[in-house]
Amino acid sequence: MKESYLIPAEKLRTFGEEVFQKAGVPKEDAKTVAEILVEANLRGVDTHGIYLANLYVRRLQKGLINPTPRFRFKQKRAGVGILDADFSLGQLSTLEAARKAVEMAQDAGIGIVAVKNSNHFGAAAYYAEYCARRDCMGLVMSDGECDVIPFGGREKFLGTNPLCCCIPAGTYPWFCMDMATSEVAFGKIRAAAEAGKAIPPNWAVDRNGKPVTDPTRAYAAVPMSGVKGYAVSLIIEILSSRLTGMPYGAHIVRKFDDWENRAFMGHYVQAIDIAAFCPVDEFKKRMDELFADLKNQPRAPGVEEILIPGEPEWRTKSRREEEGCPIGEEDVNLLRQLGEEFGVPFSV
Amino acid sequence: MKESYLIPAEKLRTFGEEVFQKAGVPKEDAKTVAEILVEANLRGVDTHGIYLANLYVRRLQKGLINPTPRFRFKQKRAGVGILDADFSLGQLSTLEAARKAVEMAQDAGIGIVAVKNSNHFGAAAYYAEYCARRDCMGLVMSDGECDVIPFGGREKFLGTNPLCCCIPAGTYPWFCMDMATSEVAFGKIRAAAEAGKAIPPNWAVDRNGKPVTDPTRAYAAVPMSGVKGYAVSLIIEILSSRLTGMPYGAHIVRKFDDWENRAFMGHYVQAIDIAAFCPVDEFKKRMDELFADLKNQPRAPGVEEILIPGEPEWRTKSRREEEGCPIGEEDVNLLRQLGEEFGVPFSV
């Protein structure tokens, strides 16, 4: 077990805000991006947390991300629009897309924004939650550089293509699903390899497309439930790339490896206004009824509690707001070095 | 292997149309429902095929399905409406919902119809394809009587909750995914039991919630990929039931067993008008580009071809339109008996 440090969220946010500003991002935008990254740490989704500041700043330095984009939003119909992100940080464009989606939903009942010319947006939940806070159901998708084979294939083709949905509730925490559409994210396979543990045969394949249980031989991830995840993942590719002519997974720049080319990321953001269907309070009661029923279901052996999607992250957030966010030594060093370069001290 | 008969689709349609009429369904409606059922046979989805005519007619006879419903559609916003199905056959209400969704999409770019007071709608693909034929992306969902445990639970709670999406393409067949959100449909577990074969441990659990490999001990199905399918399935329950106050899986009447109570089924139908985003021809070219790329991907050992979701059904349909639809002896007897009762001969 590597050492990790518990760092208050506020400290991480301030650090992020300052380094992004040093990299040319305006203050308010820098603050927003830092907040979204640290929100992932708070929710326990550390793979999408503050350590990404290093990646983003490097790509800003190279001119591959635009620090001062001019968004061009074109509303095409009452419920549909396209946002040209002008190569902004994906956090900024996706949040703007969520704003527009909610605005359209408040008018037409439903609002969809297809985002083009964007970048990695971090964890999807933030934007879906933005919608839920405004009494809308939020749905957020993105394609991404490929790590996943198509069903029947052996070469990486699909992104891990996140699918995120957040739905408001009453006294229970809201419903929030934010998942990769591969059987598991590649990070889990890497973790098993580091721990010297075998993986189930439906997680990954080797170079020849054969299922592996030895994670060190894993080459590509497998769609969840095989053909089902393959189809769901393709829908996400299509909604994220084919409506706007963006490249899809197999042709997306690898953000950690390609330092020559801009990424052309596409996202899909949708908001449904609950009030268009029924009074919001009534809907929330119906959600609570469903959740209470779930909570009272008999449990499988060894299970302490049936959880509502989003509940584990909700709890982690409450805890980490008190305790701080655990940041591993490697990431601490990464951020410290980044800070030194820009005259922004990163202390633990 | 039980015997089955190859019966021309036209013959099955005519039979269905006539028995539904005898059960009080107006001619045009009877024709529509028969067509939708036989379409499932043609596509190879025999679990949703013409044999269901028997179930529907029995429920019509008992007054549990309304043969002459009066639909009440209320458009709530430019892109959103609610259809009260008045306890109609689910085929009729869902097709009407698809019509309204496409109409709204042609105006607002996107149309959503929540259907309430409906019944089993058969295979979802027909309605999503209806949208795709009109250059819309169709998305269709329904809850259903429960067969699936929640993640961590051991009692049936969720329906197998179909998720169906159809997206138009150009020279390639359209994309069409129509899947249960359980790891497999319960029929596959039953088939393994009949064949005396073991099942993988992620398909089903026994009475105590323990994974089983002996299908004869299977009590309930498991969500696809565990927690992921659990979340997706809940979204479908919510969209199908919570927007309109319909019951969800755990409280839905079991249509084959409960002969006292009406079902109160809810569905969710959505159409996105491609033309709201880009010229339809351009979009179709982009779809073809994606599909051609997929087709050219290197294949896993033993795989002859990478398939686009919907392609297997497309091919089965071409074949069965020539050869006829295979109907098992048991179903032939069921339909023959039904026909005799109503003076509609069913010959093979």
Side-chain angles (χ1 to χ4, degrees), chain A residues 296-316:
Chain A
N296 286 325
Q297 289 302 301
R299 301 183 301 276
V303 172
E304 273 180 35
E305 186 183 358
I306 292 178
L307 294 167
I308 297 158
E311 212 171 11
E313 292 79 12
W314 189 278
R315 291 183 186 176
T316 302

Side-chain angles (χ1 to χ4, degrees), chain A residues 182 248 251 289 293 307, chain B residues 182 228 230 242 248 251 293:
Chain A
S182 48
Y248 46 88
H251 304 286
E289 177 197 20
D293 203 356
L307 294 167
Chain B
S182 48
K228 297 190 182 200
Y230 164 55
R242 303 290 81 189
Y248 47 87
H251 305 285
D293 202 355

Side-chain angles (χ1 to χ4, degrees), chain A residues 145-179:
Chain A
E145 58 211 76
C146 60
D147 271 324
V148 184
I149 54 166
F151 187 73
R154 68 169 191 266
E155 193 47 80
K156 297 173 185 181
F157 187 89
L158 301 160
T160 47
N161 293 3
L163 177 60
C164 176
C165 179
C166 189
I167 308 177
T171 54
Y172 281 91
W174 53 38
F175 174 102
C176 186
M177 168 191 89
D178 185 6
M179 66 184 205

